[in-house]
């Protein structure tokens, strides 16, 4: 099933230690203002300890502020420890909610289902996080890079900024002979997973897509999205990949990237949305794992996007856990919660996909 003009999302991650009390909220799949009011009137209390994807940390900070203002008895503690750590903590049963920039895969679904015991684990997209190719090259604005050139840079085959491949992408630019300093995530990361999926699908990339950066590709590692942004900002000649929100917050230079038709596209929430328009839901039932076409030829489509998922049990949490998880996700999927994303460098959900997200959250019990 394909969805036009809809953005899938990046979202919360977490571990949960809580006690919840009060009336059941009356939220529905519509996600209207009433849904937000229901969460606010729920009388919930407890502590949500969260950890996982760093891609949606800025979104979590905003949601946390607003949700706690409406639910004074709830405290949310969030640690952006990376997608891999969040998934492992969920599988081990130490958290009730995991945030990941890629859906469960390989042997993870079976392990996650086993952790849920009486139900299945579900992937719930909450925010789209466009992935920026960021660089530090004073005097060179509007840099253009094709997927093949990016593959060569990040595989340490292209090592100078005036390499013929980069010149071919930028015929009118004056490029310095500065050495390229390519940074990648040192920790297991859904951002790395999505970026290498893009390279695998579009470039001469000899490695399998994975959360862990391939050692053979070399380069320099930095931990977390904050670490990547800081490293690029502090290093002339640097290049890396990081979520748009971090690129904007750090005022980093962003490259235009060629999509499947060869069109060099500037990264904006709108251009990223055009790529998500071609995404298909590959999950079944209430599982909303998406398949993204990184080689999209849609006009004006920026091809590198990631979706951060809320991973939790559809059924199988304790009654107390499910109340608090459901209330928080009801808020993040509400009109108010989604509207807060655009100013943070994310893209909000809309249309039929958002309706399905709200239905999945409503089914948590």
């Amino acid at each position: 099933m394909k969805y036009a003009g809809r953005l899938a999302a990046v979202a919360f991650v977490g571990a949960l230690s809580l006690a919840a009390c009060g009336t059941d909220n009356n939220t529905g799949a519509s996600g209207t203002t009433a849904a937000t009011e229901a969460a606010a009137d729920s009388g919930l209390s407890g502590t949500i300890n969260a950890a996982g994807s760093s891609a949606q940390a800025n979104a979590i900070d905003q949601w946390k502020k607003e949700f706690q203002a409406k639910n004074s008895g709830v405290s949310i503690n969030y640690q952006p420890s990376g997608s891999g750590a969040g998934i492992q903590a969920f599988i081990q049963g130490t958290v009730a909610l995991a945030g990941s920039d890629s859906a469960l895969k390989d042997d993870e679904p079976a392990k996650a289902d086993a952790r849920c015991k009486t139900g299945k684990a579900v992937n719930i997209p909450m925010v789209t996080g466009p992935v920026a190719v960021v660089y530090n090259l004073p005097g060179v604005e509007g840099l253009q890079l094709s997927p093949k050139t990016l593959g060569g840079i990040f595989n340490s085959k292209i090592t100078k900024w005036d390499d013929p491949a980069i010149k071919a992408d930028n015929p009118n630019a004056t490029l310095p002979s500065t050495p390229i300093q390519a940074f990648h995530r040192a920790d297991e990361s859904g951002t790395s997973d999505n970026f290498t999926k893009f390279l695998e699908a579009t470039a001469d990339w000899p490695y399998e897509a994975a959360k862990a950066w391939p050692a053979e590709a070399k380069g320099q590692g930095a931990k977390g999205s904050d670490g990547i942004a800081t490293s690029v900002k502090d290093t002339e000649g640097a290049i890396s990949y990081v979520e748009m929100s971090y690129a904007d917050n750090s005022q980093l230079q962003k490259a235009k990237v060629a999509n499947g038709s060869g069109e060099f596209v500037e990264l904006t929430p709108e251009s990223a949305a055009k790529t998500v328009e071609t995404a298909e839901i590959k999950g079944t039932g209430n599982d909303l794992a998406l398949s993204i076409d990184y080689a999209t030829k849609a006009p004006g489509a920026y091809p590198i996007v990631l979706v951060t998922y809320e991973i939790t049990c559809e059924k199988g949490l304790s009654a107390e856990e499910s109340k608090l998880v459901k209330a928080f996700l009801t808020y993040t999927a509400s009109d108010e919660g989604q509207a807060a994303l655009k100013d943070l460098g994310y893209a909000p959900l809309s249309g039929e996909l958002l309706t399905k997200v709200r239905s999945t959250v409503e089914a948590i019990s």
Side-chain angles (χ1 to χ4, degrees):
M1 177 180 279
K2 294 189 176 182
Y3 295 91
R6 299 168 182 83
L7 292 177
V10 196
F12 174 70
V13 358
L16 203 68
S17 144
L18 57 107
C21 61
T23 60
D24 291 340
N25 68 59
N26 295 316
T27 57
S30 65
T32 60
T33 302
T36 302
E37 291 174 350
D41 295 338
S42 64
L44 291 170
S45 65
T47 299
I48 301 175
N49 295 313
S53 162
S54 63
Q56 42 66 66
N58 294 328
I60 288 296
D61 286 345
Q62 182 64 29
W63 284 335
K64 167 179 152 180
K65 175 182 174 183
E66 298 299 332
F67 185 77
Q68 289 181 163
K70 297 173 184 296
N71 298 272
S72 59
V74 178
S75 177
I76 301 174
N77 300 317
Y78 175 72
Q79 295 296 323
S81 57
S83 298
I87 288 174
Q88 289 307 310
F90 178 76
I91 288 173
Q92 292 165 6
T94 58
V95 307
L97 197 67
S100 175
D101 303 329
S102 54
L104 295 168
K105 62 182 181 180
D106 300 329
D107 62 345
E108 292 172 345
K111 291 179 179 179
D113 287 349
R115 176 260 189 271
C116 292
K117 298 179 182 178
T118 60
K120 289 186 174 294
V122 288
N123 298 281
I124 311 173
M126 201 62 69
V127 182
T128 292
V131 179
V133 173
V134 293
Y135 65 99
N136 182 341
L137 213 54
V140 181
E141 298 299 331
L143 186 71
Q144 300 183 156
L145 295 170
S146 67
K148 184 175 180 180
T149 300
L150 284 169
I153 290 172
F154 283 95
N155 196 23
S156 301
K157 302 299 183 184
I158 296 175
T159 59
K160 299 272 191 179
W161 278 109
D162 61 352
D163 186 275
I166 302 178
K167 285 184 175 181
D169 289 343
N170 300 271
N172 299 319
T174 301
L175 298 167
S177 59
T178 307
I180 295 174
Q181 307 289 332
F183 286 89
H184 58 263
R185 286 283 292 270
D187 51 327
E188 287 199 3
S189 161
T191 311
S192 292
D193 192 30
N194 282 272
F195 185 64
T196 53
K197 281 178 181 175
F198 163 74
L199 293 177
E200 187 178 42
T202 63
D204 296 327
W205 188 249
Y207 315 110
E208 289 187 8
K211 294 184 181 74
W213 188 258
E216 298 86 352
K218 302 179 182 178
Q220 302 179 57
K223 186 174 182 180
S225 300
D226 278 327
I228 289 291
T230 299
S231 296
V232 172
K233 191 167 189 175
D234 292 345
T235 309
E236 186 170 335
I239 186 171
S240 191
Y241 54 93
V242 74
E243 300 78 17
M244 180 180 174
S245 59
Y246 285 87
D248 289 345
N249 287 346
S250 297
Q251 299 181 319
L252 300 175
Q253 293 170 294
K254 298 190 291 288
K256 296 178 181 178
V257 177
N259 60 24
S261 68
E263 177 189 5
F264 289 102
V265 181
E266 180 181 357
L267 171 56
T268 66
E270 292 76 19
S271 64
K274 292 180 180 179
T275 292
V276 182
E277 289 174 8
T278 63
E280 294 185 39
I281 292 180
K282 63 180 181 181
T284 58
N286 284 322
D287 182 71
L288 301 178
L290 300 172
S291 177
I292 296 171
D293 180 10
Y294 296 100
T296 179
K297 295 182 179 180
Y302 180 85
I304 318 176
V305 297
L306 66 78
V307 174
T308 297
Y309 297 88
E310 311 276 11
I311 299 171
T312 191
C313 298
E314 183 178 22
K315 299 183 188 301
L317 298 177
S318 70
E320 292 79 12
E321 286 176 332
S322 64
K323 275 187 183 180
L324 196 51
V325 169
K326 185 173 182 176
F328 182 70
L329 296 185
T330 294
Y331 173 72
T332 65
S334 71
D335 291 341
E336 179 181 335
Q338 288 295 303
L341 296 175
K342 194 168 184 180
D343 291 339
L344 299 173
Y346 301 102
L349 293 165
S350 64
E352 191 174 351
L353 179 58
L354 180 55
T355 298
K356 286 181 173 291
V357 165
R358 289 169 174 168
S359 295
T360 294
V361 171
E362 178 65 17
I364 294 172
S365 62

